[in-house]
Amino acid sequence: MSRSALKETKVGLWRQMKQHRADYLMVFPFAALFTVFTIIPILSSMVLSFTDFDMVQMPLFNGFSNYIRMFLNDDVFLVCLKNTMVFAFITGPISFACCFLFAWLINELSRGMRTVMTFVFYAPSISGSLFVIFSWVFSGDMYGLVNSVLMELGIIRDPIQWLSDANYILGVCILVQIWLSFGTGFLSFIAGLQGIDRQIYEAGAIDGIKSRLQELIYLTLPHMGPQLFFAAVMQIGASFSVGSVVTMLCGSPTTDYAADTIVTHIIDHGTTRFEMGYACAMAVVLFLMMVGTNQLVRRLIGKFAST
Amino acid sequence: MKRVSRSRAGNVTVLLLLLFFGVFMFFPFFYAVLQAFKPMNEIFQYPPKFYIVHPTLENFMSISQLVDNLWVPFGRYVVNTLLVSVVGTALHVLLASMAAFPLAKYPFPGSRVFFEIVVLALMFNGSVTQIPQYVVMAGMGVIDSYLALLLPPLAGATGLFLMKQFMSSIPDAMLEAAQIDGAGRMCTWWRVVMPNVKAAWLTILIFAFQTYWNGAGSGYIYTESLKPLTTILNQIATAGVARAGTGAAVTVLLMLPPVMIFVFSQSRIVETMAHSGIK
C-alpha cells in the first residue's frame, strides 16, 4: 500500500469513527464496566502471575516460579487439575449431550407438555442452593436416602460416607453437576428446535427420510450449529468453574482433595492464604484451558453443522 | 403437512425416557418440600418415608425465631438484597440494551472485535474471575461496600449477547422510518427499539435478577450489615443436623422467587433464546 493510500484509509477510518460518535457513546458505559470487571482482571492476573503478591506489599517479580511450583511442587494442584479435567472433559460433554437429547425429546411432545417438561429440566439451574438437599439424599448416616434404600434392600450393611469417603465424593459431585447443567444452553436448544422451518422436514420426508433418528442426523443437527456452539460455550464455562457445589456438599478441602477443582484451589490460596500471585497463575492456566477448549469445540461443531 | 411418521414404539420410548429422567430432575424439589414440612421426629426416621404423617409449619416458624435473634436485624439483609437487585437489574437492562443496539444495527470500527470478546467472556462466569476481580476491586477501594455487590454483574456478557442477537432481527425498514422522522440514535433506541424487544429485556432482566438474588459478589463483603439475604439464609440452611428441617424450609423459600418468576415468563424467555445461536 502506498503512503497516500494508507493516509487515506486512516482518514477514512477517522471519518467513519466520527460518524459513529453516537454509537460509541451508547456502547461506552457498558464497555467501560466490562473492561474494568472482566478484561482488566484477566489481563492483570496475567501480569500478577509472574509475581509474589500478598495484597499488602508491592508485587515482587519472580519469573516463572509460580508456574514451576504449580506443576512440580504442588501435588494438590495436580489432583485439582485432574478433577477439573474430569469435570470438563467427561461431565461437560455428558451434560452437553443430555441437554441436547432431552431438548430434542421434549420437542416431540405436544405444546402443553413441552412447557411443563422444559420447566422441570430447567428449574434446577435457577433454584439457587437447593442442591444442598443432595447432602440429605447422600447423607452418611442411615437416615440418608440412598443409604437407607440400599440397606433396606440388603445391598449394603453399613451406611456409606458418600460425602466424605474419597471413593465416592467425585461421583456424587458429578451427579449433582449434571443435575444442575440444564441451563441457558438447554433453553437455547429448546428454542432452536422449535424455530426450525417445518418445510425442511416435509421436504425430507419426500426425499426418503424414514425415521426420526435419520431426521435428527440429516436435518435437525445441521441446522442447530449456532445453538450448539452457544450451548457449548456456556457448558465450557460451567464445567471448568465447578467449585461452590463441591464446597457446599463436601466441604473445603474435600477428603484427600478427592473432588477439589482448580477453582476451589484458587479460592483457597487467594482468600485464606492471600497468595495472590500464585492464585493468579492458576487462574491464567484455567483461562488458557478454557479458551483452548473453546477453539477445539468450535472446530468440532463446524465439521458437522453450519455455523 | 407431511412429516416422517412417528412410530408408536418410538413415542412410548420418548415418553418413558422423559418420565424417568423427569422424576430424577424433579425429585430433589419434592424431597426438599417434603423435609420442610416434616416434624423433627419424622425427618430422623428409619427408613425415611415419602409422605408426611403429621405435616407441620414448625420449621418455617423456627426460621422467624432464628432471624429474630440475629446480631444484625434481619430486615437489613432483606433491604440489602432488594436494594442491590432492583438497582442492579434496572441498570444492567439499560446499559446492556443501549450497547446492544449499535452493535446489532450500526457496526462501527472495533465493534466486531468487541463483540467477539464478549462472546468469549460468556465462558468466564463469576467464580473463575473471582480472585483477579478481587485484586482489581481492592485496588479501586470498593471491596466491602454495596458497590462490590452491585458493579460486577452490571456488565455481564450474557445480557449484552442475548440483547444484541435479538435486536439483529429488527427489520431495518423500521429504523429507517424512525430516522426519516428525525429521530436520533438514542431516541430510536428508546422509542422504537425497546418496545419491540420486550421479550429480550424481560429475559435479561430475569437473568440479572437471579444473579443478584443468588448473592453474586457476597464474597467481597465482610461487614455483616452489608451482606445479602442469601448469605445469612445459606448459613441457616447448612447449619447441620439439629436444624435440618429449618434448613430445608430455608432452601425452599430461597428457591421460590427465581423459579416462580421463570414460570410466569417462560414463553418470553424461550422466544428470546431462539436468537441465542452464535453464528
Side-chain angles (χ1 to χ4, degrees):
Chain A
M1 200 186 286
S2 71
R3 179 171 284 191
S4 66
L6 189 70
K7 201 175 166 194
E8 206 153 86
T9 50
K10 259 190 186 166
V11 171
L13 184 70
W14 182 238
R15 192 175 299 142
Q16 246 186 332
M17 286 172 76
K18 261 172 113 175
Q19 272 172 0
H20 283 285
R21 201 172 49 205
D23 299 324
Y24 283 105
L25 278 176
M26 287 176 82
V27 177
F28 179 76
F30 185 94
L33 283 166
F34 180 75
T35 308
V36 171
F37 292 101
T38 305
I39 298 180
I40 292 181
I42 291 176
L43 292 182
S44 61
S45 70
M46 287 177 185
V47 175
L48 287 171
S49 74
F50 295 104
T51 67
D52 193 0
F53 181 42
D54 61 2
M55 301 285 292
V56 182
Q57 281 161 322
M58 283 298 286
L60 209 69
F61 180 75
N62 68 357
F64 281 95
S65 62
N66 286 328
Y67 292 94
I68 293 168
R69 173 181 168 195
M70 208 184 301
F71 289 104
L72 297 182
N73 296 324
D74 186 354
D75 292 341
V76 177
F77 174 78
L78 294 181
V79 175
C80 294
L81 179 67
K82 186 216 85 189
N83 290 336
T84 301
M85 296 279 208
V86 169
F87 280 116
F89 297 115
I90 298 176
T91 317
I94 292 176
S95 302
F96 182 72
C98 283
C99 280
F100 188 83
L101 176 72
F102 287 107
W104 179 64
L105 292 177
I106 287 171
N107 197 48
E108 299 277 299
L109 301 172
S110 63
R111 200 184 147 79
M113 279 297 284
R114 199 162 59 203
T115 308
V116 173
M117 290 312 281
T118 304
F119 170 71
V120 167
F121 277 80
Y122 180 67
S125 70
I126 50 167
S127 59
S129 55
L130 191 104
F131 67 85
V132 294
I133 210 71
F134 277 100
S135 65
W136 296 48
V137 176
F138 289 102
S139 168
D141 52 32
M142 65 178 196
Y143 308 111
L145 197 63
V146 176
N147 276 340
S148 68
V149 169
L150 291 179
M151 281 160 76
E152 278 290 283
L153 296 175
I155 297 173
I156 55 170
R157 279 189 52 208
D158 301 309
I160 294 177
Q161 301 295 318
W162 297 103
L163 301 174
S164 53
D165 183 332
N167 292 319
Y168 301 107
I169 297 176
L170 188 60
V172 170
C173 291
I174 286 175
L175 188 78
V176 175
Q177 194 56 38
I178 293 176
W179 182 74
L180 283 168
S181 66
F182 294 83
T184 32
F186 170 72
L187 282 189
S188 174
F189 285 147
I190 291 279
L193 286 167
Q194 281 176 42
I196 293 178
D197 192 350
R198 295 267 160 242
Q199 285 177 355
I200 69 160
Y201 292 119
E202 292 169 37
I206 294 163
D207 289 344
I209 296 259
K210 283 202 185 61
S211 68
R212 57 182 117 194
L213 215 59
Q214 278 185 342
E215 196 180 87
L216 170 71
I217 294 165
Y218 296 111
L219 300 177
T220 310
L221 267 179
H223 278 87
M224 292 289 288
Q227 283 84 1
L228 285 168
F229 189 49
F230 172 73
V233 168
M234 300 311 271
Q235 190 59 56
I236 293 169
S239 41
F240 275 95
S241 65
V242 176
S244 61
V245 168
V246 173
T247 308
M248 282 179 81
L249 281 181
C250 310
S252 177
T254 54
T255 315
D256 294 343
Y257 300 97
D260 273 275
T261 61
I262 299 185
V263 166
T264 66
H265 203 47
I266 290 174
I267 290 171
D268 183 22
H269 280 269
T271 59
T272 54
R273 308 182 201 199
F274 280 94
E275 295 177 308
M276 288 304 181
Y278 189 49
C280 284
M282 289 190 279
V284 169
V285 170
L286 193 59
F287 294 151
L288 292 179
M289 281 167 62
M290 289 172 84
V291 172
T293 311
N294 186 14
Q295 297 301 318
L296 192 77
V297 166
R298 184 165 222 166
R299 246 175 242 164
L300 277 176
I301 291 174
K303 277 214 171 114
F304 60 89
S306 56
T307 48
Chain B
M1 187 182 94
K2 187 173 163 56
R3 275 200 80 169
V4 171
S5 64
R6 265 44 183 146
S7 68
R8 179 163 296 173
N11 279 336
V12 171
T13 321
V14 167
L15 274 178
L16 283 181
L17 273 173
L18 280 175
L19 203 66
F20 182 78
F21 286 97
V23 167
F24 168 69
M25 296 305 286
F26 188 69
F27 180 75
F29 289 90
F30 169 72
Y31 201 56
V33 172
L34 197 72
Q35 300 292 71
F37 286 100
K38 270 185 187 174
M40 200 53 135
N41 60 339
E42 286 186 50
I43 292 176
F44 293 102
Q45 198 174 37
Y46 178 85
K49 290 199 175 67
F50 292 108
Y51 56 89
I52 314 171
V53 186
H54 301 290
T56 171
L57 286 174
E58 209 173 276
N59 296 320
F60 291 91
M61 301 298 189
S62 68
I63 298 178
S64 72
Q65 279 167 16
L66 278 174
V67 300
D68 276 346
N69 295 324
L70 291 174
W71 179 59
V72 171
F74 182 66
R76 186 62 198 263
Y77 296 101
V78 179
V79 168
N80 290 346
T81 286
L82 281 183
L83 187 73
V84 171
S85 326
V86 170
V87 175
T89 304
L91 280 176
H92 172 73
V93 173
L94 273 179
L95 294 183
S97 49
M98 193 165 81
F101 179 43
L103 288 174
K105 283 297 172 188
Y106 306 98
F108 50 84
S111 65
R112 256 191 46 160
V113 177
F114 178 67
F115 191 65
E116 277 187 16
I117 296 173
V118 169
V119 170
L120 207 58
L122 286 173
M123 294 191 299
F124 298 135
N125 52 35
S127 51
V128 179
T129 49
Q130 190 180 335
I131 294 297
Q133 215 171 49
Y134 180 89
V135 176
V136 170
M137 285 166 65
M140 293 164 62
V142 294
I143 292 289
D144 204 22
S145 71
Y146 278 137
L147 289 178
L149 292 172
L150 184 74
L151 292 177
L154 268 190
T158 320
L160 178 68
F161 173 77
L162 289 176
M163 201 44 128
K164 187 252 174 190
Q165 300 297 76
F166 199 94
M167 282 179 175
S168 299
S169 65
I170 293 176
D172 288 330
M174 193 193 281
L175 304 177
E176 278 157 22
Q179 255 168 355
I180 290 166
D181 290 345
R185 204 67 105 223
M186 286 290 271
C187 185
T188 316
W189 166 66
W190 188 248
R191 294 268 174 81
V192 182
V193 176
M194 286 304 270
N196 277 294
V197 295
K198 265 196 195 123
W201 60 254
L202 195 71
T203 305
I204 72 168
L205 186 145
I206 286 159
F207 285 175
F209 174 75
Q210 278 165 9
T211 311
Y212 283 113
W213 177 260
N214 288 331
S218 53
Y220 305 135
I221 304 291
Y222 304 116
T223 309
E224 196 58 35
S225 58
L226 294 178
K227 283 184 179 169
L229 187 60
T230 38
T231 322
I232 187 69
L233 289 183
N234 276 330
Q235 266 170 31
I236 298 177
T238 52
V241 208
R243 297 209 186 115
T246 318
V250 167
T251 38
V252 168
L253 288 184
L254 266 180
M255 157 213 78
L256 277 179
V259 169
M260 292 318 281
I261 291 176
F262 177 75
V263 168
F264 290 113
S265 49
Q266 186 170 353
S267 61
R268 292 302 185 86
I269 294 180
V270 171
E271 189 187 329
T272 306
M273 296 309 290
H275 302 273
S276 66
I278 301 177
K279 293 202 173 86

